[in-house]
Amino acid sequence: MASPSTARPDRPAFSPERLAAAAGNPPPISPMGWTRIGVRATGIVAILLPLIVLHYLWRALRQSSPWPRLFLGWTGWIAGARADRSGIPVRRNVVFISNHVSWIDILVIAGASGSAFVAKAEIRNAPVVGWLSTLNRTVFVTREDRTGVGDQIERLREALADTWSVTIFPEGTTDDGRSLLPFKSSLLKILEPPPPGVVVQPLMLDYGADGPDIGWLGDEAGQHNALRVLARPGSFRVGVNFLDPFSPVDFPGRKAIAAEARTRIEAALAAVLGRTVETFIGHAAWASGIAGSLDESSSASVAAAL
């Protein structure tokens, strides 16, 4: 169980710039912001070039490559994420089930566990992150492609066999880091029946007060979100909380597995927030600007004030 966060100072409501970004109108990036992007991009290239060579060498030798974990974890650090891990990740034969806030999730989880991923197809086109994700056997899915679920599940099984762990984001999209969506169970068909010895470990990500700002919300394009995050000053904390694992055999069926994982993640997030976890208000509400006018009793407004 995650430890409750320390008290956070009050913050004003969402800025006009944040709401504009969610509406699909990216605010202009300042010269200092472009400088930060340039410095961070240079840092990523500098550390990745030698590791890429090692990665493909390992692949040529048909060895499991440890280098993508370093690629992604260090890229997350350069992007400003400071992972604060709690709990012990299972090292092999594990399916992590996590809440989903940002493309940063992939970087910090990979750095903490070396896991492969399931991610929405838009991430494939995000600057830098999309390409890096392919190195770690990320399975990109399209929410509307119901006919391709069987192929996606087969690629998931291959990723699990190759990397020993895989992370699934069953909300099907991102949230604001302060609330949750219902968990979809289609991709958990990989656990029907569960492969021998495989366990499920719920994982709760906590971006603290920065969640709504870091989050990929509304109609914001992936590349715009990536540039906006890379242009931010300073760093931000991400709690990577590995919760107690459980055997999928004890919860027969993908829907039961999804429900149990959500229950545990919800309890951990509620402990951090100090309140009941509400249902995410949705991307349409962010895109339309409704998130900027909610009262203090609403989930998004509470998130902004934490």
Side-chain angles (χ1 to χ4, degrees), residues 46-279:
I47 65 169
L48 293 187
L49 286 177
L51 297 181
I52 291 169
V53 174
L54 291 170
H55 170 69
Y56 285 115
L57 175 61
W58 254 245
R59 285 298 191 189
L61 297 173
R62 299 185 180 277
Q63 299 295 314
S64 180
S65 173
W67 307 111
R69 175 177 183 171
L70 295 177
F71 291 175
L72 298 174
W74 289 356
T75 298
W77 193 92
I78 290 172
R82 299 295 181 264
D84 182 9
R85 195 183 84 179
S86 68
I88 301 173
V90 176
R91 291 300 181 187
R92 59 190 305 162
N93 295 329
V94 57
V95 174
F96 298 115
I97 296 181
S98 176
N99 59 319
H100 193 19
V101 180
S102 166
W103 51 272
I104 292 287
D105 301 352
I106 291 176
L107 307 182
V108 296
I109 294 173
S113 70
S115 173
F117 293 88
V118 177
K120 60 183 182 178
E122 293 91 329
I123 287 178
R124 180 64 184 85
N125 298 320
V128 181
V129 178
W131 171 69
L132 288 174
S133 298
T134 65
L135 301 178
N136 209 43
R137 296 296 300 268
T138 297
V139 177
F140 297 102
V141 299
T142 302
R143 281 173 284 173
E144 295 77 13
D145 184 14
R146 298 183 181 276
T147 61
V149 171
D151 178 59
Q152 292 165 5
I153 290 170
E154 183 57 33
R155 283 183 285 141
L156 263 175
R157 288 177 175 146
E158 292 173 358
L160 180 60
D162 185 48
T163 64
W164 300 333
S165 64
V166 66
T167 298
I168 295 175
F169 301 109
E171 289 173 290
T173 186
T174 50
D175 59 45
D176 59 8
R178 307 286 83 197
S179 54
L180 290 174
L181 282 162
F183 279 14
K184 299 176 181 179
S185 63
S186 57
L187 292 176
L188 293 178
K189 194 171 178 61
I190 186 178
L191 298 172
E192 284 185 336
V198 168
V199 299
V200 172
Q201 185 166 28
L203 194 166
M204 190 275 287
L205 297 173
D206 169 32
Y207 283 76
D210 291 309
D213 187 55
I214 298 295
W216 186 0
L217 304 172
D219 288 339
E220 186 175 27
Q223 64 268 29
H224 293 153
N225 179 273
L227 290 173
R228 187 171 59 78
V229 171
L230 291 173
R232 295 175 86 251
S235 61
F236 53 92
R237 173 193 169 276
V238 185
V240 185
N241 304 287
F242 292 92
L243 309 179
D244 291 339
F246 63 88
S247 172
V249 175
D250 297 334
F251 299 88
R254 54 191 172 90
K255 291 185 178 180
I257 293 169
E260 178 62 19
R262 191 185 190 281
T263 295
R264 297 187 184 203
I265 292 170
E266 181 179 3
L269 184 57
V272 166
L273 295 175
R275 62 170 174 83
T276 300
V277 176
E278 299 182 24
T279 300

Side-chain angles (χ1 to χ4, degrees), residues 271-294:
V272 166
L273 295 175
R275 62 170 174 83
T276 300
V277 176
E278 299 182 24
T279 300
F280 176 51
I281 60 174
H283 291 281
W286 275 91
S288 66
I290 291 175
S293 60
L294 294 175

